[in-house]
mmCIF file of all heavy atoms in Angstrom:
data_model
loop_
_atom_site.group_PDB
_atom_site.id
_atom_site.type_symbol
_atom_site.label_atom_id
_atom_site.label_comp_id
_atom_site.label_asym_id
_atom_site.label_seq_id
_atom_site.Cartn_x
_atom_site.Cartn_y
_atom_site.Cartn_z
ATOM 1 N N SER A 12 0.971 75.831 99.094
ATOM 2 C CA SER A 12 1.246 76.541 100.343
ATOM 3 C C SER A 12 1.447 78.032 100.050
ATOM 4 O O SER A 12 1.740 78.431 98.922
ATOM 5 C CB SER A 12 2.493 75.970 101.018
ATOM 6 O OG SER A 12 3.648 76.297 100.270
ATOM 7 N N LYS A 13 1.302 78.836 101.088
ATOM 8 C CA LYS A 13 1.469 80.287 100.930
ATOM 9 C C LYS A 13 2.891 80.626 100.486
ATOM 10 O O LYS A 13 3.090 81.494 99.639
ATOM 11 C CB LYS A 13 1.132 81.005 102.230
ATOM 12 C CG LYS A 13 -0.343 80.971 102.548
ATOM 13 C CD LYS A 13 -0.641 81.660 103.855
ATOM 14 C CE LYS A 13 -2.125 81.554 104.180
ATOM 15 N NZ LYS A 13 -2.454 82.164 105.462
ATOM 16 N N ILE A 14 3.872 79.934 101.032
ATOM 17 C CA ILE A 14 5.267 80.223 100.669
ATOM 18 C C ILE A 14 5.527 79.862 99.206
ATOM 19 O O ILE A 14 6.210 80.592 98.495
ATOM 20 C CB ILE A 14 6.275 79.535 101.631
ATOM 21 C CG1 ILE A 14 7.690 80.089 101.413
ATOM 22 C CG2 ILE A 14 6.277 78.047 101.455
ATOM 23 C CD1 ILE A 14 7.889 81.461 101.940
ATOM 24 N N MET A 15 4.935 78.752 98.747
ATOM 25 C CA MET A 15 5.134 78.366 97.348
ATOM 26 C C MET A 15 4.397 79.328 96.415
ATOM 27 O O MET A 15 4.867 79.615 95.316
ATOM 28 C CB MET A 15 4.685 76.924 97.117
ATOM 29 C CG MET A 15 5.657 75.893 97.673
ATOM 30 S SD MET A 15 7.404 76.185 97.230
ATOM 31 C CE MET A 15 7.358 76.020 95.461
ATOM 32 N N SER A 16 3.243 79.852 96.853
ATOM 33 C CA SER A 16 2.549 80.873 96.061
ATOM 34 C C SER A 16 3.408 82.121 95.944
ATOM 35 O O SER A 16 3.501 82.732 94.879
ATOM 36 C CB SER A 16 1.209 81.232 96.706
ATOM 37 O OG SER A 16 0.311 80.168 96.625
ATOM 38 N N LEU A 17 4.061 82.487 97.050
ATOM 39 C CA LEU A 17 4.951 83.648 97.033
ATOM 40 C C LEU A 17 6.137 83.399 96.103
ATOM 41 O O LEU A 17 6.488 84.251 95.286
ATOM 42 C CB LEU A 17 5.431 83.971 98.443
ATOM 43 C CG LEU A 17 6.428 85.116 98.558
ATOM 44 C CD1 LEU A 17 5.796 86.430 98.095
ATOM 45 C CD2 LEU A 17 6.941 85.242 99.985
ATOM 46 N N VAL A 18 6.749 82.228 96.210
ATOM 47 C CA VAL A 18 7.894 81.880 95.349
ATOM 48 C C VAL A 18 7.473 81.924 93.884
ATOM 49 O O VAL A 18 8.174 82.490 93.037
ATOM 50 C CB VAL A 18 8.465 80.494 95.731
ATOM 51 C CG1 VAL A 18 9.440 79.992 94.685
ATOM 52 C CG2 VAL A 18 9.130 80.551 97.106
ATOM 53 N N GLU A 19 6.313 81.337 93.571
ATOM 54 C CA GLU A 19 5.821 81.337 92.188
ATOM 55 C C GLU A 19 5.608 82.765 91.692
ATOM 56 O O GLU A 19 5.981 83.108 90.568
ATOM 57 C CB GLU A 19 4.516 80.555 92.101
ATOM 58 C CG GLU A 19 3.941 80.518 90.692
ATOM 59 C CD GLU A 19 2.617 79.774 90.620
ATOM 60 O OE1 GLU A 19 2.339 78.931 91.486
ATOM 61 O OE2 GLU A 19 1.870 80.048 89.666
ATOM 62 N N SER A 20 5.007 83.605 92.529
ATOM 63 C CA SER A 20 4.759 84.994 92.133
ATOM 64 C C SER A 20 6.055 85.754 91.896
ATOM 65 O O SER A 20 6.184 86.489 90.912
ATOM 66 C CB SER A 20 3.942 85.713 93.213
ATOM 67 O OG SER A 20 2.669 85.158 93.316
ATOM 68 N N VAL A 21 7.024 85.585 92.787
ATOM 69 C CA VAL A 21 8.307 86.286 92.646
ATOM 70 C C VAL A 21 9.016 85.833 91.369
ATOM 71 O O VAL A 21 9.538 86.662 90.610
ATOM 72 C CB VAL A 21 9.187 86.072 93.898
ATOM 73 C CG1 VAL A 21 10.613 86.534 93.661
ATOM 74 C CG2 VAL A 21 8.577 86.793 95.097
ATOM 75 N N ILE A 22 9.032 84.528 91.115
ATOM 76 C CA ILE A 22 9.676 84.021 89.901
ATOM 77 C C ILE A 22 8.955 84.541 88.662
ATOM 78 O O ILE A 22 9.587 84.974 87.690
ATOM 79 C CB ILE A 22 9.732 82.480 89.908
ATOM 80 C CG1 ILE A 22 10.723 82.011 90.982
ATOM 81 C CG2 ILE A 22 10.112 81.932 88.537
ATOM 82 C CD1 ILE A 22 10.708 80.509 91.219
ATOM 83 N N ASN A 23 7.620 84.530 88.694
ATOM 84 C CA ASN A 23 6.837 85.031 87.569
ATOM 85 C C ASN A 23 7.152 86.499 87.299
ATOM 86 O O ASN A 23 7.354 86.907 86.149
ATOM 87 C CB ASN A 23 5.345 84.831 87.867
ATOM 88 C CG ASN A 23 4.463 85.142 86.679
ATOM 89 O OD1 ASN A 23 4.919 85.289 85.561
ATOM 90 N ND2 ASN A 23 3.176 85.243 86.943
ATOM 91 N N ILE A 24 7.223 87.301 88.342
ATOM 92 C CA ILE A 24 7.521 88.726 88.191
ATOM 93 C C ILE A 24 8.947 88.920 87.680
ATOM 94 O O ILE A 24 9.191 89.730 86.783
ATOM 95 C CB ILE A 24 7.303 89.466 89.529
ATOM 96 C CG1 ILE A 24 5.808 89.507 89.854
ATOM 97 C CG2 ILE A 24 7.902 90.865 89.497
ATOM 98 C CD1 ILE A 24 5.493 89.917 91.273
ATOM 99 N N ALA A 25 9.903 88.168 88.219
ATOM 100 C CA ALA A 25 11.297 88.295 87.786
ATOM 101 C C ALA A 25 11.459 87.910 86.317
ATOM 102 O O ALA A 25 12.156 88.601 85.558
ATOM 103 C CB ALA A 25 12.205 87.436 88.661
ATOM 104 N N VAL A 26 10.815 86.848 85.903
ATOM 105 C CA VAL A 26 10.891 86.423 84.495
ATOM 106 C C VAL A 26 10.249 87.478 83.598
ATOM 107 O O VAL A 26 10.789 87.842 82.550
ATOM 108 C CB VAL A 26 10.240 85.032 84.304
ATOM 109 C CG1 VAL A 26 10.027 84.721 82.835
ATOM 110 C CG2 VAL A 26 11.085 83.955 84.970
ATOM 111 N N GLY A 27 9.083 87.991 84.011
ATOM 112 C CA GLY A 27 8.418 89.044 83.232
ATOM 113 C C GLY A 27 9.278 90.293 83.114
ATOM 114 O O GLY A 27 9.373 90.895 82.044
ATOM 115 N N PHE A 28 9.917 90.664 84.215
ATOM 116 C CA PHE A 28 10.809 91.821 84.203
ATOM 117 C C PHE A 28 11.968 91.593 83.225
ATOM 118 O O PHE A 28 12.297 92.464 82.421
ATOM 119 C CB PHE A 28 11.337 92.080 85.618
ATOM 120 C CG PHE A 28 12.323 93.200 85.706
ATOM 121 C CD1 PHE A 28 11.888 94.516 85.723
ATOM 122 C CD2 PHE A 28 13.687 92.943 85.762
ATOM 123 C CE1 PHE A 28 12.793 95.557 85.808
ATOM 124 C CE2 PHE A 28 14.590 93.981 85.838
ATOM 125 C CZ PHE A 28 14.151 95.288 85.860
ATOM 126 N N GLY A 29 12.570 90.414 83.295
ATOM 127 C CA GLY A 29 13.693 90.093 82.402
ATOM 128 C C GLY A 29 13.288 90.098 80.941
ATOM 129 O O GLY A 29 14.012 90.620 80.076
ATOM 130 N N ILE A 30 12.133 89.517 80.640
ATOM 131 C CA ILE A 30 11.648 89.497 79.248
ATOM 132 C C ILE A 30 11.377 90.917 78.771
ATOM 133 O O ILE A 30 11.732 91.283 77.643
ATOM 134 C CB ILE A 30 10.395 88.616 79.130
ATOM 135 C CG1 ILE A 30 10.775 87.149 79.304
ATOM 136 C CG2 ILE A 30 9.683 88.836 77.801
ATOM 137 C CD1 ILE A 30 9.590 86.201 79.418
ATOM 138 N N SER A 31 10.743 91.723 79.621
ATOM 139 C CA SER A 31 10.449 93.110 79.256
ATOM 140 C C SER A 31 11.740 93.881 78.979
ATOM 141 O O SER A 31 11.853 94.589 77.972
ATOM 142 C CB SER A 31 9.665 93.780 80.387
ATOM 143 O OG SER A 31 9.451 95.138 80.111
ATOM 144 N N LEU A 32 12.725 93.720 79.849
ATOM 145 C CA LEU A 32 14.001 94.422 79.678
ATOM 146 C C LEU A 32 14.698 93.973 78.386
ATOM 147 O O LEU A 32 15.149 94.810 77.600
ATOM 148 C CB LEU A 32 14.895 94.166 80.894
ATOM 149 C CG LEU A 32 16.233 94.900 80.924
ATOM 150 C CD1 LEU A 32 16.010 96.413 80.926
ATOM 151 C CD2 LEU A 32 17.030 94.475 82.145
ATOM 152 N N ALA A 33 14.757 92.688 78.161
ATOM 153 C CA ALA A 33 15.417 92.167 76.951
ATOM 154 C C ALA A 33 14.688 92.616 75.685
ATOM 155 O O ALA A 33 15.326 92.995 74.687
ATOM 156 C CB ALA A 33 15.490 90.643 77.018
ATOM 157 N N ALA A 34 13.357 92.582 75.720
ATOM 158 C CA ALA A 34 12.583 92.995 74.543
ATOM 159 C C ALA A 34 12.820 94.470 74.227
ATOM 160 O O ALA A 34 12.990 94.850 73.056
ATOM 161 C CB ALA A 34 11.099 92.722 74.772
ATOM 162 N N GLN A 35 12.820 95.305 75.255
ATOM 163 C CA GLN A 35 13.069 96.727 75.042
ATOM 164 C C GLN A 35 14.458 96.953 74.465
ATOM 165 O O GLN A 35 14.636 97.758 73.538
ATOM 166 C CB GLN A 35 12.939 97.499 76.361
ATOM 167 C CG GLN A 35 11.557 97.640 76.865
ATOM 168 C CD GLN A 35 11.523 98.136 78.292
ATOM 169 O OE1 GLN A 35 10.521 97.954 78.910
ATOM 170 N NE2 GLN A 35 12.578 98.731 78.813
ATOM 171 N N MET A 36 15.454 96.276 75.016
ATOM 172 C CA MET A 36 16.831 96.469 74.549
ATOM 173 C C MET A 36 16.987 96.018 73.103
ATOM 174 O O MET A 36 17.807 96.570 72.362
ATOM 175 C CB MET A 36 17.801 95.723 75.465
ATOM 176 C CG MET A 36 17.895 96.341 76.849
ATOM 177 S SD MET A 36 18.920 95.420 77.997
ATOM 178 C CE MET A 36 20.513 95.541 77.207
ATOM 179 N N TYR A 37 16.170 95.033 72.679
ATOM 180 C CA TYR A 37 16.272 94.523 71.311
ATOM 181 C C TYR A 37 15.427 95.351 70.341
ATOM 182 O O TYR A 37 15.902 95.749 69.274
ATOM 183 C CB TYR A 37 15.844 93.046 71.277
ATOM 184 C CG TYR A 37 15.894 92.455 69.891
ATOM 185 C CD1 TYR A 37 17.107 92.084 69.321
ATOM 186 C CD2 TYR A 37 14.731 92.297 69.151
ATOM 187 C CE1 TYR A 37 17.157 91.556 68.036
ATOM 188 C CE2 TYR A 37 14.778 91.778 67.875
ATOM 189 C CZ TYR A 37 15.985 91.400 67.318
ATOM 190 O OH TYR A 37 16.043 90.889 66.051
ATOM 191 N N PHE A 38 14.166 95.597 70.711
ATOM 192 C CA PHE A 38 13.237 96.188 69.752
ATOM 193 C C PHE A 38 13.302 97.714 69.662
ATOM 194 O O PHE A 38 13.065 98.265 68.585
ATOM 195 C CB PHE A 38 11.792 95.766 70.069
ATOM 196 C CG PHE A 38 11.529 94.329 69.754
ATOM 197 C CD1 PHE A 38 11.349 93.408 70.764
ATOM 198 C CD2 PHE A 38 11.482 93.881 68.442
ATOM 199 C CE1 PHE A 38 11.110 92.076 70.479
ATOM 200 C CE2 PHE A 38 11.249 92.553 68.140
ATOM 201 C CZ PHE A 38 11.061 91.633 69.167
ATOM 202 N N LEU A 39 13.583 98.399 70.759
ATOM 203 C CA LEU A 39 13.601 99.861 70.682
ATOM 204 C C LEU A 39 14.636 100.371 69.679
ATOM 205 O O LEU A 39 14.321 101.255 68.868
ATOM 206 C CB LEU A 39 13.811 100.474 72.074
ATOM 207 C CG LEU A 39 12.596 100.387 73.022
ATOM 208 C CD1 LEU A 39 12.925 100.988 74.382
ATOM 209 C CD2 LEU A 39 11.380 101.052 72.415
ATOM 210 N N PRO A 40 15.878 99.830 69.658
ATOM 211 C CA PRO A 40 16.819 100.292 68.626
ATOM 212 C C PRO A 40 16.340 99.978 67.199
ATOM 213 O O PRO A 40 16.605 100.749 66.276
ATOM 214 C CB PRO A 40 18.109 99.519 68.944
ATOM 215 C CG PRO A 40 18.016 99.241 70.411
ATOM 216 C CD PRO A 40 16.553 99.001 70.653
ATOM 217 N N LEU A 41 15.626 98.878 67.017
ATOM 218 C CA LEU A 41 15.080 98.558 65.691
ATOM 219 C C LEU A 41 14.053 99.589 65.245
ATOM 220 O O LEU A 41 13.853 99.804 64.047
ATOM 221 C CB LEU A 41 14.432 97.167 65.681
ATOM 222 C CG LEU A 41 15.363 95.973 65.855
ATOM 223 C CD1 LEU A 41 14.562 94.675 65.907
ATOM 224 C CD2 LEU A 41 16.380 95.925 64.720
ATOM 225 N N LEU A 42 13.416 100.226 66.219
ATOM 226 C CA LEU A 42 12.427 101.258 65.925
ATOM 227 C C LEU A 42 13.050 102.657 65.885
ATOM 228 O O LEU A 42 12.350 103.658 65.745
ATOM 229 C CB LEU A 42 11.312 101.231 66.977
ATOM 230 C CG LEU A 42 10.505 99.931 67.044
ATOM 231 C CD1 LEU A 42 9.578 99.947 68.249
ATOM 232 C CD2 LEU A 42 9.716 99.750 65.761
ATOM 233 N N GLY A 43 14.368 102.717 66.054
ATOM 234 C CA GLY A 43 15.070 103.995 66.009
ATOM 235 C C GLY A 43 15.055 104.758 67.318
ATOM 236 O O GLY A 43 15.358 105.943 67.347
ATOM 237 N N VAL A 44 14.691 104.079 68.396
ATOM 238 C CA VAL A 44 14.658 104.728 69.710
ATOM 239 C C VAL A 44 15.916 104.317 70.467
ATOM 240 O O VAL A 44 16.163 103.136 70.694
ATOM 241 C CB VAL A 44 13.401 104.314 70.515
ATOM 242 C CG1 VAL A 44 13.399 104.959 71.881
ATOM 243 C CG2 VAL A 44 12.141 104.658 69.737
ATOM 244 N N THR A 45 16.701 105.307 70.860
ATOM 245 C CA THR A 45 17.934 105.032 71.579
ATOM 246 C C THR A 45 17.763 105.468 73.034
ATOM 247 O O THR A 45 17.484 106.633 73.303
ATOM 248 C CB THR A 45 19.114 105.788 70.947
ATOM 249 O OG1 THR A 45 19.163 105.474 69.558
ATOM 250 C CG2 THR A 45 20.422 105.404 71.604
ATOM 251 N N VAL A 46 17.908 104.502 73.923
ATOM 252 C CA VAL A 46 17.831 104.803 75.357
ATOM 253 C C VAL A 46 18.973 104.079 76.051
ATOM 254 O O VAL A 46 19.459 103.047 75.576
ATOM 255 C CB VAL A 46 16.469 104.386 75.977
ATOM 256 C CG1 VAL A 46 15.342 105.249 75.454
ATOM 257 C CG2 VAL A 46 16.174 102.944 75.738
ATOM 258 N N SER A 47 19.383 104.613 77.195
ATOM 259 C CA SER A 47 20.478 103.990 77.941
ATOM 260 C C SER A 47 19.968 102.733 78.657
ATOM 261 O O SER A 47 18.758 102.527 78.814
ATOM 262 C CB SER A 47 21.030 104.974 78.974
ATOM 263 O OG SER A 47 20.064 105.190 79.997
#
């Protein structure tokens, strides 16, 4: 259904955002990059 496609897309985007944020917070300091 259209609503389930929307739910799937929102969850996919939210998970991707969370993974991206966590990866940056972990890996950037390992590379010597300090950001807030």
Side-chain angles (χ1 to χ4, degrees):
S12 70
K13 290 179 183 178
I14 192 73
M15 285 312 297
S16 292
L17 177 63
V18 168
E19 180 182 336
S20 294
V21 168
I22 291 171
N23 188 13
I24 291 167
V26 167
F28 177 80
I30 290 171
S31 176
L32 184 61
Q35 288 168 199
M36 291 175 63
Y37 179 77
F38 289 109
L39 287 178
L41 293 177
L42 298 172
V44 178
T45 306
V46 292
S47 69

